[in-house]
Amino acid sequence: MSSESDRWNIFQGLKEDSLKSDIEKIQDFMFSFQIRDKDDIQKFLTQANETSLELFKKNKDFINDYVETDEMSQKDKLKDIELMIEAFIEEERYEDCALLVKVKNKIIKYYKKQLN
């Protein structure tokens, strides 16, 4: 899998397959990416944002896993979500931003709860 369209087709197939298959497709997408120039970086970021958003919309368990995972720090999760919000604001996708704000608030609430 070496072309941009192959990776995009993987993303599009997420809606139809099981969660296990989705995870395998995401891994293929992530590890097949080859950066050749700045446009490739932007395409990757756009598709990564779209993939994350689609998973957030598709499955509340994915949101909970994202919030509760130890693989990323609270700071990294909030930065990640903020960058996605900024990208979707630029595209005037305010409903998507609202969902991401909810995820952000869940992250904040989760870590406040951990302190108590």
Side-chain angles (χ1 to χ4, degrees), residues 28-40:
D28 288 345
F29 168 76
M30 297 297 288
F31 295 112
S32 70
F33 186 71
Q34 297 176 6
I35 297 173
R36 288 179 229 113
D37 57 31
K38 289 182 181 181
D39 288 338
D40 285 344

Side-chain angles (χ1 to χ4, degrees), residues 35-88:
I35 297 173
R36 288 179 229 113
D37 57 31
K38 289 182 181 181
D39 288 338
D40 285 344
I41 293 170
Q42 187 57 46
K43 287 176 189 174
F44 172 78
L45 292 174
T46 299
Q47 289 183 343
N49 288 344
E50 291 291 345
T51 300
S52 295
L53 181 66
E54 188 65 34
L55 288 168
F56 287 151
K57 287 179 175 180
K58 182 177 181 179
N59 190 333
K60 287 186 179 185
D61 288 338
F62 184 81
I63 293 173
N64 292 334
D65 290 344
Y66 182 86
V67 168
E68 297 174 9
T69 185
D70 293 331
E71 298 296 318
M72 293 173 69
S73 69
Q74 175 187 8
K75 181 180 176 181
D76 289 339
K77 290 174 194 174
L78 292 174
K79 176 87 171 169
D80 187 43
I81 294 293
E82 281 295 327
L83 290 171
M84 288 196 305
I85 291 170
E86 287 177 26
F88 290 119

Side-chain angles (χ1 to χ4, degrees), residues 1-17 21-22 24-26 28-29 32 43 47 50-51 54:
M1 178 181 334
S2 60
S3 74
E4 193 66 33
S5 62
D6 290 337
R7 288 188 293 278
W8 182 247
N9 289 336
I10 287 171
F11 168 72
Q12 292 299 315
L14 289 177
K15 298 174 186 168
E16 302 161 2
D17 298 330
S21 178
D22 289 352
E24 290 171 0
K25 288 181 179 187
I26 290 168
D28 288 345
F29 168 76
S32 70
K43 287 176 189 174
Q47 289 183 343
E50 291 291 345
T51 300
E54 188 65 34

Side-chain angles (χ1 to χ4, degrees), residues 91-106:
E91 297 176 21
E92 298 182 2
R93 293 173 56 182
Y94 302 116
E95 289 180 17
D96 293 334
C97 292
L99 173 63
L100 294 170
V101 168
K102 288 179 184 178
V103 174
K104 178 182 173 182
N105 290 338
K106 279 187 100 160

